[in-house]
Amino acid sequence: MNDAAPAAAPLAPCAAHDERSRGRRHPEPRPELRGEFQRDRDRIIHSNAFRRLVYKTQVFVNHEGDLYRTRITHSIEVAQIARSAAIALRLNEALTEAICLAHDLGHTPFGHAGQDALNECMRDYGGFEHNLQSLRVVDELEERYAEFSGLNLTFECREGILKHCSVHHARELGELGERFLKRQQPGLEAQIANLADEIAYNNHDVDDGLRAQLLTVEALRASRMFRRQHEAVAARYPDLSERRLVHEIIRRMINHIVLDLIRTTQSRLAQAKPASIEEVRALSKPLAALSDECREEHLELKELLREQVYRHYKVLRMTAKARRVVHELFDAFFKDVTLMPPEHREQALKAEAANSNTGRARTVADYIAGMTDRYAILEHRRLFEPSERT
Ligand code: MG
């Protein structure tokens, strides 16, 4: 990226500026020798939920192989992509990184299968959305600080973490939910993090899909973006092994999309000329975007992955198993909270006293959502296998 601005360039006026942050829920003195958003990022890295991402998966269950992405490597890849774009666009790099590292903190075990199952379990009790859960983790569930629950992050970081939200929940979230009711935007750092998430998972699912032999290079050539890079790499390096060929293609695809994101966003910024983050928020459409052509090709690749990888019978078997585990754990704990470890049981009884079944269900969902894949499997075995130790 030769045309990238140097990291030391001053922030763009429309970036998130430390001194103009909308602040934290519990006021705190400003940090010494680091910025507000650096403090956010540091708190996220030290959280329990962040460490658990090591053993939570996206598509492939963690014990299938050591080389597949987990939520933590995914989050780091998202942060890498978004930081490159943020630096080039003179946005706040620390805030961008913080949002990326936190964006999946509320994910259940077993990727989307786990989240769908938990949402079904919670249907009568307010549902389960992983974005809202990420917010719940940083606002309430982490227990690390003497003076408050959660991580007490800045408004800008919390706004970025809450990527989607139903209107129903938005109404309960006060100023953080407002933008979903007014159809406004989050800051640019959040918009970049959001796109970086899609870029990262599309590309690494190509890599993981090939490694798991759910996909072939030949099948991937149905994607224009893949085919173009495949032809360029094969012409220039005719004797490359398949492994290197694939990595070189993916590297080039990511570079192509990230450059497109930066250039397209640059030209939209040049047109809209937002003078502050408030002006970015007030727009009806996001400013960060891919060009029409790149977006279409990216969607084409996503569709191909859906057909070939996410609907592969081996993946569907895994997701069916995962759903069953989550449903059975929920039913067992909801019926009898005394089966949960003491601290979760105490919380469930307290929540039930305050908010009857809805409160009890939420604490069971919090306990399950916090589990890693292997912990969920182990808990399931402890509950249902007579020969397993409890
Ligand atoms: Mg993600």
Side-chain angles (χ1 to χ4, degrees):
M1 285 176 219
N2 300 326
D3 54 353
L11 287 184
C14 61
H17 293 251
D18 275 70
E19 61 282 8
R20 277 181 254 144
S21 167
R22 285 170 70 172
R24 303 174 189 275
R25 296 208 296 173
H26 309 277
E28 288 186 69
R30 294 190 65 162
E32 286 176 58
L33 304 176
R34 59 178 173 166
E36 296 283 2
F37 303 122
Q38 278 174 291
R39 174 150 76 181
D40 283 353
R41 180 200 54 202
D42 299 348
R43 286 183 176 179
I44 291 159
I45 288 174
H46 290 286
S47 67
N48 283 343
F50 186 69
R51 274 196 307 286
R52 290 200 191 108
L53 297 179
V54 178
Y55 297 108
K56 293 195 186 197
T57 46
Q58 296 271 102
V59 178
F60 302 90
V61 173
N62 186 257
H63 58 259
E64 294 239 320
D66 289 345
L67 270 178
Y68 297 110
R69 266 75 176 181
T70 67
R71 293 241 169 235
I72 207 154
T73 55
H74 164 68
S75 300
I76 293 169
E77 288 182 28
V78 174
Q80 181 278 315
I81 288 171
R83 283 170 56 218
S84 296
I87 291 167
L89 295 164
R90 297 196 292 126
L91 301 174
N92 196 307
E93 183 188 355
L95 173 61
T96 308
E97 184 178 12
I99 294 169
C100 294
L101 294 180
H103 86 283
D104 270 352
L105 288 181
H107 247 295
T108 60
F110 315 123
H112 290 285
Q115 114 110 16
D116 291 346
L118 202 49
N119 191 27
E120 286 159 17
C121 298
M122 290 293 289
R123 186 169 293 148
D124 297 334
Y125 313 106
F128 181 89
E129 298 175 25
H130 72 262
N131 278 296
L132 269 176
Q133 190 70 9
S134 296
L135 192 67
R136 201 167 147 70
V137 167
V138 301
D139 278 357
E140 292 177 42
L141 297 180
E142 283 287 325
E143 297 177 310
R144 308 193 69 79
Y145 300 94
E147 297 190 353
F148 46 79
S149 292
L151 306 179
N152 199 30
L153 303 179
T154 60
F155 177 88
E156 290 73 12
C157 192
R158 295 169 64 233
E159 154 190 82
I161 291 171
L162 193 63
K163 197 159 72 172
H164 307 290
C165 178
S166 61
V167 170
H168 165 72
H169 284 123
R171 288 206 187 93
E172 295 165 354
L173 286 171
E175 59 170 0
L176 204 63
E178 261 173 35
R179 83 163 195 269
F180 299 99
L181 304 174
K182 294 183 179 165
R183 296 181 183 278
Q184 292 182 335
Q185 309 307 313
L188 270 161
E189 287 80 0
Q191 296 182 23
I192 292 289
N194 192 3
L195 286 165
D197 186 19
E198 287 183 31
I199 297 169
Y201 71 63
N202 254 357
N203 282 282
H204 63 49
D205 285 351
V206 169
D207 190 25
D208 284 351
L210 284 164
R211 182 171 293 111
Q213 296 178 320
L214 306 175
L215 266 177
T216 61
V217 168
E218 206 35 54
L220 277 162
R221 282 174 55 83
S223 141
R224 281 170 285 175
M225 194 181 285
F226 186 92
R227 188 167 64 239
R228 198 165 53 240
Q229 300 299 350
H230 182 232
E231 278 162 12
V233 176
R236 182 146 180 212
Y237 308 101
D239 301 323
L240 225 46
S241 69
E242 179 162 314
R243 205 82 291 270
R244 278 203 205 213
L245 174 81
V246 165
H247 286 152
E248 183 68 29
I249 293 169
I250 293 172
R251 178 183 87 78
R252 286 167 181 241
M253 286 202 299
I254 294 175
N255 194 51
H256 170 78
I257 305 169
V258 173
L259 287 180
D260 183 275
L261 165 64
I262 292 168
R263 292 195 176 119
T264 307
T265 307
Q266 260 163 354
S267 74
R268 290 161 70 106
L269 279 167
Q271 277 203 324
K273 295 193 185 61
S276 66
I277 190 169
E278 278 72 35
E279 289 189 24
V280 173
R281 288 185 177 124
L283 295 168
S284 60
K285 286 205 171 112
L287 282 170
L290 299 176
S291 66
D292 289 347
E293 193 195 351
C294 189
R295 194 183 60 244
E296 253 172 53
E297 290 191 357
H298 201 232
L299 285 174
E300 182 182 71
L301 180 62
K302 190 174 175 174
E303 191 47 42
L304 190 148
L305 286 168
R306 195 193 323 258
E307 284 301 318
Q308 306 255 340
V309 178
Y310 313 141
R311 290 192 191 140
H312 194 285
Y313 82 96
K314 286 187 178 172
V315 173
L316 292 178
R317 276 186 190 184
M318 217 154 52
T319 57
K321 243 192 289 189
R323 293 173 83 97
R324 209 171 305 136
V325 169
V326 169
H327 271 286
E328 289 176 0
L329 285 177
F330 185 91
D331 290 345
F333 291 135
F334 184 68
K335 250 181 230 140
D336 184 355
V337 294
T338 63
L339 299 180
M340 292 200 285
E343 53 173 301
H344 295 279
R345 178 177 54 197
E346 296 312 317
Q347 274 161 7
L349 295 173
K350 248 190 261 167
E352 186 174 7
N355 208 1
S356 64
N357 277 352
T358 303
R360 180 163 53 139
R362 185 59 59 192
T363 50
V364 172
D366 285 340
Y367 179 45
I368 294 174
M371 293 179 185
T372 61
D373 294 8
R374 60 184 190 174
Y375 185 82
I377 292 167
L378 187 61
E379 273 290 75
H380 187 264
R381 238 188 267 146
R382 285 179 187 137
L383 281 174
F384 294 99
E385 296 277 329
S387 59
E388 186 74 29
R389 284 192 197 185
T390 54

